[in-house]
Amino acid sequence: MDISIHASFLPHDDPDASLAFYRDALGFEVRTDVGQGKMRWITVGPPGRPGTSILLAPPAADPGVTDDERRVIAEMMAKGTYGWILLATGNVDDTFEKVQASGAEVVQEPTDQPYGIRDCAFRDPAGNLVRIQERG
């Protein structure tokens, strides 16, 4: 089999703030931006890698989501427990400095983990955890 990850999904509650984080702080390119207001689906990804994307989407846009589920989703996003993603970079310390300089919320400064990975972590504007590890 030849299977690859094409896209991952993360919720957003402020499309402009999410764009500023993923485009401006992380350096991702914007591939699509459809919809209007808070109901926008924005696809971003690393430059030069069109086969890998993140879709930033309104979390409760599905008509099958109940009002109670929408409330729980909003509560989980506010606590930062709804979505997360793991990214990789060649130099986690340089990447940390650049992302921190953008004003992003720091969760963890670069750390050598006991399991052999050096990583750091931020929260995006929607509360999603964004871990960035150094490629070995």
Side-chain angles (χ1 to χ4, degrees):
M1 281 201 261
D2 181 20
I3 299 174
S4 63
I5 297 172
H6 176 68
S8 181
F9 299 82
L10 287 175
H12 76 72
D13 54 6
D14 183 336
D16 294 323
S18 291
L19 268 176
F21 179 78
Y22 287 94
R23 181 192 58 212
D24 304 337
L26 293 180
F28 286 171
E29 63 185 14
V30 177
R31 301 202 174 126
T32 62
D33 184 347
V34 298
Q36 55 188 329
K38 289 194 173 215
M39 296 301 283
R40 285 167 55 195
W41 286 258
I42 304 164
T43 305
V44 297
R49 295 190 184 143
T52 303
S53 300
I54 299 170
L55 175 61
L56 305 169
D62 183 332
V65 176
T66 67
D67 288 340
D68 284 341
E69 291 167 333
R70 281 185 181 84
R71 182 185 46 74
V72 170
I73 290 169
E75 288 172 3
M76 291 178 71
M77 285 177 65
K79 289 187 341 185
T81 59
Y82 188 69
W84 65 279
I85 192 164
L86 177 61
L87 305 174
T89 185
N91 186 315
V92 76
D93 294 290
D94 287 350
T95 299
F96 176 82
E97 293 299 325
K98 290 174 186 168
V99 177
Q100 182 184 36
S102 76
E105 179 186 345
V106 175
V107 173
Q108 174 198 302
E109 293 190 8
T111 303
D112 292 320
Q113 300 293 354
Y115 43 86
I117 298 292
R118 183 165 179 77
D119 69 355
C120 65
F122 295 91
R123 289 230 184 270
D124 78 2
N128 299 306
L129 181 65
V130 178
R131 295 198 72 82
I132 304 172
Q133 69 182 26
E134 191 162 286
R135 279 190 224 82

